[in-house]
Amino acid sequence: MLSIQFRNVIIILLIINFNVVYSQQLGSDVALNTTINEESRYRPNFHFTPLKSWMNDPNGMYFYKGKYHLFFQHYPEGNTWGPMHWGHAVTKDLYNWEHKPIAIYPDEKGFIFSGSAVVDSENTSGFAKNGEVPIIAMFTYHDADAEKEGLETFQSQAIAYSLDEGETWVKYKNNPVINNPGIRDFRDPKIQWDNIHHQWIMVLSAKNKTLFYSSKNLKDWKLVSEFGKEAGAHGGVWECPDFFPIRVEGSKETKWVLIQSLNPGAFNSGSGTQYFVGDFDGKKFTPVASQKELPENHSYWLDFGKDNYAGVTWSNTNLPENKRLFIGWMSNWQYAEKVPTRGWRSSMTIPRELSLVKKSDNTYRLFSEPAKQIDGISKLIYSKITINKSPGSKMVLANSTEVEMDKLRLKLQLPVLEKANYTFNLSNEKGDSLKFGYSFHENRFFIDRSDSGKIDFSESFAENISFAPRSASDNLIEVEILLDKTSIELFYDNGETVMTEIFFPNSSMSKLDLSSSINHFKIKDFKIYELQLN
Ligand code: FRU
C-alpha cells in the first residue's frame, strides 16, 4: 500500500507532468499556427506557387489531353536557390493547379537547369515502342563540380522522355546530346516544331547571343545560325529564350518572335525579358526593318515591371495561329532570394496570351493579355458605363467592404487629356501604399512601391520607380488591373504595355483610389470583378 503522503506526491507529479506535456503540446500548436500563418500570409490567391521551398523559372510547358503541364526550377530542400530539380504541376483551367511529384532529379552529370518540352506525336525520337506518344523534355545539365574546378564547359544539353503523358521521366542514355563548345553561359534549350520547314528547331542562350539548332529526331542537333551579339540590350547574360511563328493580328502574314530574357540589364534594372520580331528561313533569323539595329535602350520589352522573368510559352496548345500561351516567373534575381515569404518562395505570373500587332508605322509589338480562361473565374461585382469624376477629392474605385482587394480584376478606360496625370493608390490602414498610373507629360506609365510595406529586405527592391513608355496612340487608355495579395499586373492598351510587380504590405490592402491632376474627366466602361477559384 502506498502511504497517503506518497500517493499525493505521485498525483502532484502526474499533474505537473500532464501540464508540462499539455503546455508543450499547446506550445507546438501555437508554433504550428504561427508557421501556418506565416506561410500563408503572403501566399497568393490565384497565382501558382510551389507547395513548399524555392522556385524560379517556368520550364517544359506543354498542353496534352486537356491538361496544361508546368514544370519549374525547384530546390525542394530550402528556401533559396540550390541544386535544381524540375518540379511539376498540372491544370485544366490555368488557375486551379494540381501539384505533382518532382519530375526530374539532379544526378552525377549535374543539376537540372531550365528547358522545354514537346509532344512528339509522330514519334520522331523513336522513344515510343508500343504506340505511346512520347513527351520529350530538353534541359541544361549544370555540373557544379566542374564549375568549381574552374572549367568553362560545365553546361551541356540533355533530354529525357515520358511515355505516360508526363507522369514519369527517363533520362536518355546517351546524354548529353549537345556538348559545351567552351562557352560559360550555355543554356535553357527551347524546342519548337517548325511546320513551315518540317524540322524541330531549338534556341539556346549563349552568354550574349541566341544559338539556333535544328533536328529531325530530337536527339541529333545541328547548329545552324546565331543571332543577337549586336542587337538589343546586353547589360547582362542572355538566358531562357523562346522562338515561335505567330500570325500577325488581322492579317495572313506570319512572323517569328524571339523572346530573350537577360539578367541584369532590364529596362528598369535587374532581370527582364526583351523580344525581337523577324523572319526565319529554316536556318537564320532576320529581324524586321524597324528592329534592324535595335539599340541597347530600346522599348521592345514583354513586360516593363520588375517581376516577370524567364517566361516562355506552352507547346502543343490548341490556340489559333495568332496566339501563344505564356507564363513568367514573378520575381527578379536582384532580390528573389530575400523576399519575406516563409516556407516557400516565388510565384508565377498569371498565364497570358501573346499576340503580334503590326502598327501603322510598320513596327511590330508583342501584346500580352490575361489568357481568356480568366473570364471563367471572374464574377462581376460592379459595372458602370460612364463615371464623371468631379473636382477635388480622390475617387474610391474599390473597397474591401465590397470586394476582396486581393482577388481583384478591374477594367476601365481613361481619357488621354492635355496635362492629365492619373495616380492609382492601393492602400491599407497601416499606411502602406502602392502607387501606379500614367503621366501625360512623359507619356509613360509608372509603379512606385517605395511605401508599399516591407521593402528593406533588399536595397534594389524599391530604390527606383519603374517606368514604361506608352507606345499606343489612341486617346483612350484601356486599363486592366489584376491584384493578388502580393502582386499587381497591369495591362494597358489591351496588353500593348504591361507592368508586373510584387509587394509585401504589413496588412491586407483595403482600398484602391484614383486621383488626377485635372478636375473633370470621364471614366468609361468601368468593371470590377472578384476572381473566384474552386
Ligand atoms: C534564369 C536561370 C536560367 C537557368 C536557371 C537556373 O533564371 O538563371 O538561365 O537555367 O535560372 O536555375
Side-chain angles (χ1 to χ4, degrees):
M1 277 281 268
L2 294 171
S3 77
I4 292 191
Q5 228 180 3
F6 193 58
R7 230 178 51 201
N8 284 348
V9 169
I10 287 188
I11 287 170
I12 287 168
L13 279 179
L14 278 175
I15 289 173
I16 291 173
N17 193 36
F18 171 77
N19 275 338
V20 170
V21 171
Y22 179 72
S23 60
Q24 268 171 359
Q25 177 75 37
L26 205 70
S28 68
D29 276 357
V30 171
L32 192 68
N33 280 337
T34 321
T35 326
I36 291 171
N37 287 341
E38 279 295 294
E39 205 266 354
S40 62
R41 177 170 186 201
Y42 288 134
R43 200 185 276 272
N45 289 316
F46 59 95
H47 287 85
F48 179 79
T49 49
L51 266 184
K52 69 171 187 80
S53 307
W54 169 264
M55 170 177 86
N56 54 291
D57 316 353
N59 293 152
M61 294 116 70
Y62 62 91
F63 177 73
Y64 190 56
K65 291 201 175 163
K67 287 184 185 158
Y68 297 88
H69 289 253
L70 168 69
F71 300 82
F72 51 90
Q73 287 288 279
H74 186 40
Y75 178 47
E77 308 300 328
N79 220 11
T80 48
W81 192 89
M84 284 289 120
H85 302 53
W86 273 26
H88 185 198
V90 296
T91 178
K92 287 183 178 158
D93 66 359
L94 298 180
Y95 284 93
N96 292 287
W97 290 95
E98 183 192 337
H99 292 272
K100 295 275 187 183
I102 288 175
I104 311 182
Y105 283 80
D107 58 41
E108 69 292 344
K109 293 188 178 133
F111 303 165
I112 312 298
F113 270 23
S114 286
S116 54
V118 289
V119 178
D120 183 16
S121 323
E122 305 293 323
N123 194 21
T124 60
S125 59
F127 283 129
K129 295 289 173 244
N130 299 309
E132 309 93 339
V133 171
I135 317 281
I136 314 297
M138 191 170 196
F139 56 87
T140 299
Y141 262 131
H142 174 95
D143 183 345
D145 297 332
E147 185 187 17
K148 267 189 221 121
E149 283 164 26
L151 299 178
E152 294 280 288
T153 52
F154 52 87
Q155 293 182 339
S156 59
Q157 317 315 320
I159 55 179
Y161 61 94
S162 169
L163 299 179
D164 55 7
E165 300 176 17
E167 294 292 319
T168 58
W169 294 83
V170 180
K171 289 174 188 140
Y172 179 45
K173 60 178 191 318
N174 295 335
N175 276 336
V177 292
I178 301 180
N179 286 308
N180 190 304
I183 306 174
R184 239 189 114 72
D185 297 289
F186 182 70
R187 56 180 178 263
D188 310 335
K190 179 74 168 75
I191 316 173
Q192 163 76 30
W193 173 250
D194 172 3
N195 207 18
I196 304 164
H197 310 98
H198 304 283
Q199 58 180 349
W200 295 105
I201 40 172
M202 186 270 284
V203 280
L204 193 68
S205 289
K207 194 176 168 188
N208 55 355
K209 58 189 175 198
T210 317
L211 303 180
F212 293 74
Y213 291 80
S214 71
S215 173
K216 293 284 176 206
N217 61 8
L218 294 160
K219 297 171 181 160
D220 304 305
W221 292 93
K222 192 169 150 220
L223 178 65
V224 289
S225 67
E226 62 174 65
F227 167 80
K229 252 193 275 176
E230 263 118 54
H234 280 282
V237 172
W238 283 22
E239 303 181 314
C240 299
D242 194 357
F243 186 56
F244 51 82
I246 190 164
R247 185 73 68 88
V248 178
E249 282 302 300
S251 109
K252 292 209 168 78
E253 188 184 23
T254 294
K255 287 283 173 216
W256 287 75
V257 172
L258 171 66
I259 287 178
Q260 188 55 83
S261 284
L262 90 157
N263 175 54
F267 192 84
N268 284 296
S269 83
S271 331
T273 304
Q274 57 187 333
Y275 65 88
F276 303 89
V277 180
D279 296 297
F280 183 61
D281 64 7
K283 288 190 171 155
K284 199 173 159 41
F285 172 72
T286 311
V288 293
S290 53
Q291 284 202 331
K292 265 278 141 54
E293 273 147 29
L294 202 62
E296 182 73 33
N297 62 347
H298 66 82
S299 65
Y300 293 89
W301 295 85
L302 193 128
D303 194 315
F304 287 84
K306 290 199 66 158
D307 299 302
N308 181 356
Y309 191 59
V312 286
T313 61
W314 263 270
S315 66
N316 204 48
T317 65
N318 49 16
L319 283 170
E321 287 174 21
N322 58 343
K323 300 268 184 258
R324 287 296 287 206
L325 186 64
F326 167 97
I327 201 167
W329 174 46
M330 205 154 51
S331 200
N332 192 310
W333 280 116
Q334 285 180 329
Y335 43 75
E337 292 182 293
K338 297 181 185 156
V339 297
T341 58
R342 299 282 168 263
W344 59 276
R345 257 206 190 103
S346 300
S347 55
M348 297 296 180
T349 66
I350 55 144
R352 301 171 181 187
E353 259 167 37
L354 305 183
S355 54
L356 189 66
V357 174
K358 186 173 186 181
K359 312 258 303 174
S360 53
D361 61 358
N362 288 332
T363 56
Y364 292 82
R365 293 271 168 195
L366 194 60
F367 283 41
S368 36
E369 290 190 279
K372 62 178 181 321
Q373 283 86 343
I374 196 169
D375 292 335
I377 59 159
S378 300
K379 184 182 167 216
L380 187 64
I381 304 283
Y382 182 82
S383 87
K384 198 134 204 269
I385 308 266
T386 329
I387 305 176
N388 284 305
K389 166 76 173 66
S390 45
S393 64
K394 288 177 181 170
M395 181 183 169
V396 178
L397 295 178
N399 197 307
S400 56
T401 50
E402 292 146 16
V403 57
E404 291 195 48
M405 303 297 294
D406 53 15
K407 294 178 183 162
L408 187 78
R409 178 184 183 198
L410 199 139
K411 287 181 168 198
L412 61 127
Q413 294 176 348
L414 289 173
V416 178
L417 297 168
E418 194 74 26
K419 301 213 173 97
N421 292 344
Y422 298 108
T423 302
F424 294 86
N425 185 11
L426 178 70
S427 60
N428 61 19
E429 301 77 36
K430 294 253 165 85
D432 300 334
S433 136
L434 177 83
K435 298 192 184 62
F436 56 97
Y438 170 74
S439 126
F440 176 85
H441 182 60
E442 285 119 347
N443 190 28
R444 65 184 184 184
F445 304 103
F446 70 93
I447 301 182
D448 178 355
R449 55 184 177 187
S450 56
D451 271 330
S452 62
K454 296 197 188 334
I455 59 162
D456 54 8
F457 52 86
S458 156
E459 264 179 22
S460 355
F461 185 70
E463 66 182 344
N464 294 314
I465 297 175
S466 303
F467 294 108
R470 182 175 189 236
S471 50
S473 48
D474 324 19
N475 52 18
L476 272 182
I477 307 175
E478 298 261 0
V479 186
E480 177 157 6
I481 305 168
L482 295 182
L483 282 173
D484 204 326
K485 265 190 225 172
T486 52
S487 65
I488 181 161
E489 291 165 282
L490 293 163
F491 302 88
Y492 293 111
D493 299 314
N494 298 311
E496 180 162 347
T497 306
V498 178
M499 296 187 87
T500 302
E501 294 209 350
I502 52 176
F503 55 92
F504 302 91
N506 291 303
S507 69
S508 302
M509 292 301 199
S510 50
K511 197 166 76 176
L512 177 67
D513 58 46
L514 174 64
S515 56
S516 173
S517 53
I518 52 166
N519 278 332
H520 295 276
F521 64 93
K522 274 194 175 98
I523 297 177
K524 284 198 183 153
D525 237 344
F526 181 67
K527 289 195 179 77
I528 301 182
Y529 304 87
E530 187 168 277
L531 297 177
Q532 298 184 337
L533 265 65
N534 296 339

